[in-house]
Amino acid sequence: VDLYIVQMEQKPHIALLPSPGMGHLIPLVEFAKQFVLHHDFHITCIIPVLGSPSKAMKAVVQALPTSIDHVFLPPVILEEEEIKGLKHGVQAMLTLTRSLPPLRDVLKSNRFSAFVVDPFGIDALAIAKELNISPYIFFSSNAFALSLVLHLPKLDETVSCEYRDLPEPVKLPGCIPIHGRDLLEPVQDRTSEFYKMFL
């Protein structure tokens, strides 16, 4: 047992933070499996949840290899008045924001070599920096979505109408031109809170 503990302490320990929801958890879990398979890292998935963890989430983490741990952060409860009319993405971002204090506690309680978030977890990178943990962003979407995310601030500055109303296709580096109406749903309403968060 002591030898096993020593061996675990010698492995780089990586913390992964998926945004709330199965669509964010599964890509990061698959990424974690690659770390274990190809690099023999010790991984801890730190999972924020809106309400209690779902049966599907529990099933995913219970099926993980033994070198991948998981921690469910205390559930965030949003009052009905708070979530009325909010899109799922905004709810997820509020959940992440309200999970930052317990996340800090988890990150402080271990010696992590690196901290990996998906694009919606960018606010959590400040905690990693504060604790001198190397921060990384795991972007599992396609090249077009990445190009959109990287160039959205410039597009936002140069376009005055809604993207769906653009007469010409949007030209993003490395991608074929695409009509504004075909851009991702979160950027289709520039007055929405989710657009502002996305930006």
Side-chain angles (χ1 to χ4, degrees), residues 28-194:
L28 268 161
V29 162
E30 292 303 316
F31 189 51
K33 290 177 185 177
Q34 296 304 308
F35 275 136
V36 170
L37 180 65
H38 298 290
H39 303 287
D40 198 32
F41 290 167
H42 180 200
I43 307 292
T44 298
C45 291
I46 305 168
I47 307 165
V49 288
L50 178 58
S52 299
S54 69
K55 288 181 183 178
M57 287 178 134
K58 290 178 182 176
V60 166
V61 297
Q62 288 169 353
L64 292 173
T66 56
S67 56
I68 302 177
D69 296 325
H70 71 277
V71 174
F72 283 109
L73 294 175
V76 170
I77 308 298
L78 297 176
E79 299 298 326
E80 193 171 319
E81 308 84 53
E82 287 181 285
I83 60 174
K84 192 175 185 179
L86 288 183
K87 295 190 181 220
H88 175 72
V90 177
Q91 291 178 28
M93 293 180 99
L94 279 173
T95 301
L96 274 171
T97 301
R98 295 190 184 172
S99 295
L100 292 178
L103 169 66
R104 178 180 281 107
D105 294 339
V106 172
L107 291 176
K108 284 168 86 172
S109 69
N110 289 281
R111 281 191 164 156
F112 290 108
S113 304
F115 179 55
V116 181
V117 300
D118 66 22
F120 292 106
I122 290 174
D123 289 345
L125 294 179
I127 297 172
K129 186 176 180 183
E130 168 193 322
L131 299 174
N132 293 318
I133 302 170
S134 296
Y136 297 92
I137 300 172
F138 174 66
F139 198 89
S140 61
S141 295
N142 60 36
F144 176 79
L146 178 58
S147 186
L148 176 62
V149 168
L150 294 175
H151 295 92
L152 187 61
K154 184 177 180 183
L155 186 62
D156 183 72
E157 290 174 6
T158 59
V159 172
S160 59
C161 65
E162 291 291 347
Y163 302 127
R164 66 179 161 269
D165 298 328
L166 289 170
E168 297 292 321
V170 176
K171 295 176 183 166
L172 295 171
C175 301
I176 62 168
I178 186 169
H179 291 283
R181 66 181 176 269
D182 295 325
L183 292 177
L184 303 171
E185 189 271 332
V187 302
Q188 289 298 344
D189 178 3
R190 296 174 69 190
T191 64
S192 75
E193 193 63 31
F194 192 45

